[in-house]
Amino acid sequence: MNAPRHLPSGFLWGAATSAHQTEGNNTNSNWWHLENSPTSPFAEPSGAGVDSFHRYPEDMRLLAEAGLDAYRFSIEWARIEPRPGEFSTEALRHYRSMISTARELGLTPVVTLHHFTTPMWFSQRGGWAAPDAAARFASYAAKAAEILGDVEWICTINEPNMIALLAEMPKKLEAASAQTGALDDRAIAGFALPAPSDEVTQVLIDAHRSAFEVLRARTDARLGWTVSGQAFEAEPGSEEILAVLKHSWEDRYLEVARDDDFIGVQSYTTRRIGPDGLIPYSVEEQLTMTGWPNRPDAVGASIRNAWDRSGHTDVLVTENGIATADEAERVAYMEGALDAVDAAVADGIDVRGYLHWSALDNYEWGEWGPTFGLIAVDRGTFARSPRPSLAWLGGVAREHRESVSVHWPAQEKRSRV
Ligand code: BGC
């Protein structure tokens, strides 16, 4: 592939992970407890993860050597605040080292404060339904800000729409496990999902806004949250239902980003809407290891929707990827996705970067099967093996940086519309 032609200089080329999915032994978190309870709904626990807690310098070095210049990772609230109001200097020091290591390697750190997991104590006090949930999150953000002074990009909350949906999930999951016996992504994908909870949505908006204020006062970072884009498509005659669902699942979270510095777009596939709402994926579609249709064009639709609904807030693609064991399929997916990103920029949308999900094969919230990584990991030895797709994406990044420096050596960052 030739480097996309319309992407601006300073465009971030990177990959993403989250703490719980890679670090290992996140024992103080609500997910750890869920995974290890005798009545766990999950097929497998996260266990030692891929040991990125210790091996992050190697992970980052592989990304940088391949040609990437950004790394999105999350810091773990459950480690930083193991007991309410008690902060771990050791954990803060650890995440500060991650930020410094990224910088030293030439990777722009994009730091997420909350990627699905919370401290166990937060969960025991009612999670996002507790009256002081937003204030608790803001207090964690204030402490975290002590190590984030020089970070340029901060995501407060990862996929609030999925968190609010998960809050409604238990009933659906029970039904799913009754029919399939195991709750992997494929089982979940096959079922009609509930709408995100309105109450939890409101708390998450409050938490985002409070953390935003705290971080604005203490850092120079660009601040935003990341929203899971569904690239909804209506069957003929179901356009009105689509509009209602799209608002509930996605648009109300994008509208919050009107006053933010950027909106993180996360896209994997599309979802079809019929007269009865979401249509479960069918085997006639080309399904990936997570049971989702292979739709690289979805990211274009999600970028355009985020731009429109947020009133033209800068877009950062914070996640996009495919779970596959076939490298040709992964590269073809990225090629299609980058064409869609390029076309959006050609149409005047400010897209600031592309962060592929995922840097490494990692724990896919209940199972280890689906492989999203640009880097494979042997879970017995933790040995890392970069896949051809990593070299491919790094090559596109290099080519883009070179072409930009030839054509627009002094191009300024375009100002926000
Ligand atoms: C989440 C990731 C997850 C990915 C693939 C996103 O919703 O942010 O944690 O691994 O999708 O399922």
Side-chain angles (χ1 to χ4, degrees):
M1 173 185 198
N2 290 325
R5 286 176 301 127
H6 302 95
L7 306 182
S9 66
F11 188 86
L12 296 181
W13 290 98
T17 57
S18 86
H20 187 78
Q21 292 175 272
T22 55
E23 287 179 343
N25 300 310
N26 188 16
T27 54
N28 210 15
S29 68
N30 60 338
W31 272 82
W32 180 272
H33 282 253
L34 261 179
E35 290 161 16
N36 293 290
S37 100
T39 56
S40 168
F42 303 121
E44 298 172 276
S46 56
V50 289
D51 194 34
S52 289
F53 192 82
H54 301 108
R55 291 169 200 251
Y56 71 85
E58 181 184 357
D59 299 342
M60 293 188 193
R61 185 175 49 73
L62 291 172
L63 300 179
E65 279 175 3
L68 299 182
D69 55 31
Y71 182 45
R72 173 177 177 236
F73 56 91
S74 69
I75 60 175
E76 182 55 57
W77 185 4
R79 292 190 198 272
I80 293 177
E81 192 175 358
R83 278 163 295 281
E86 233 178 76
F87 295 95
S88 158
T89 312
E90 204 186 326
L92 287 164
R93 210 176 285 140
H94 169 82
Y95 291 115
R96 182 58 235 176
S97 300
M98 284 188 78
I99 293 164
S100 303
T101 303
R103 289 206 168 295
E104 283 155 24
L105 289 164
L107 296 170
T108 297
V110 178
V111 178
T112 304
L113 295 194
H114 176 260
H115 195 124
F116 293 165
T117 45
T118 63
M120 193 51 201
W121 61 260
F122 181 83
S123 176
Q124 278 162 342
R125 291 161 54 122
W128 293 109
D132 63 348
R136 281 283 169 196
F137 183 65
S139 138
Y140 155 61
K143 193 69 190 175
E146 291 177 11
I147 58 159
L148 299 172
D150 59 346
V151 171
E152 289 158 52
W153 299 86
I154 300 177
C155 312
T156 57
I157 299 175
N158 181 72
E159 296 190 347
N161 48 343
M162 289 302 113
I163 299 172
L165 183 145
L166 284 172
E168 295 281 313
M169 250 342 225
K171 291 169 242 133
K172 291 279 175 186
L173 290 181
E174 246 169 61
S177 80
Q179 291 199 22
T180 67
L183 277 176
D184 58 11
D185 269 341
R186 249 151 288 127
I188 293 169
F191 282 79
L193 294 166
S197 144
D198 293 340
E199 292 75 30
V200 171
T201 296
Q202 192 49 54
V203 177
L204 292 168
I205 292 172
D206 293 346
H208 170 64
R209 290 208 198 290
S210 318
F212 189 101
E213 271 173 39
V214 158
L215 294 163
R216 174 62 92 229
R218 293 166 169 81
T219 72
D220 294 325
R222 292 179 224 201
L223 307 169
W225 68 359
T226 70
V227 174
S228 169
Q230 306 301 322
F232 288 113
E233 296 172 336
E235 301 274 277
S238 299
E239 291 78 7
E240 275 177 31
I241 302 172
L242 177 143
V244 172
L245 274 174
K246 192 159 85 67
H247 181 263
S248 158
W249 273 60
E250 190 168 337
D251 291 355
R252 52 180 163 162
Y253 305 90
L254 298 170
E255 284 159 13
V256 170
R258 279 180 179 266
D259 302 321
D260 291 357
D261 301 324
F262 72 93
I263 173 71
V265 165
Q266 318 214 140
S267 165
Y268 292 87
T269 189
T270 55
R271 282 187 191 274
R272 279 189 302 131
I273 306 292
D276 300 323
L278 289 178
I279 302 176
Y281 297 135
S282 82
V283 281
E284 282 94 66
E285 297 168 277
Q286 194 195 338
L287 301 182
T288 66
M289 287 170 106
T290 41
W292 306 338
N294 179 344
R295 289 290 300 271
D297 57 323
V299 71
S302 288
I303 289 172
R304 287 165 197 273
N305 191 51
W307 176 252
D308 288 344
R309 302 317 314 165
S310 67
H312 298 182
T313 295
D314 284 1
V315 170
L316 184 63
V317 177
T318 38
E319 285 184 27
N320 174 251
I322 179 171
T324 178
D326 176 348
E327 278 299 276
E329 189 175 47
R330 195 185 320 280
V331 168
Y333 180 93
M334 285 196 282
E335 210 162 352
L338 289 173
D339 277 346
V341 174
D342 198 46
V345 174
D347 288 343
I349 300 179
D350 276 312
V351 186
R352 298 286 167 193
Y354 174 86
L355 308 177
H356 189 78
W357 186 272
S358 178
L360 307 149
D361 285 346
N362 60 41
Y363 181 63
E364 181 56 18
W365 305 111
E367 59 172 339
W368 281 97
T371 45
F372 277 98
L374 297 172
I375 301 170
V377 185
D378 177 324
R379 288 197 39 245
T381 63
F382 299 122
R384 272 68 173 143
S385 308
R387 294 198 167 106
S389 48
L390 175 62
W392 184 87
L393 185 62
V396 174
R398 279 203 176 101
E399 213 179 300
H400 173 252
R401 279 191 299 268
E402 279 157 24
S403 75
V404 166
S405 67
V406 170
H407 296 300
W408 305 290
Q411 187 182 353
E412 290 299 317
K413 178 181 170 307
R414 274 180 291 163
S415 62
R416 191 173 154 183
V417 179

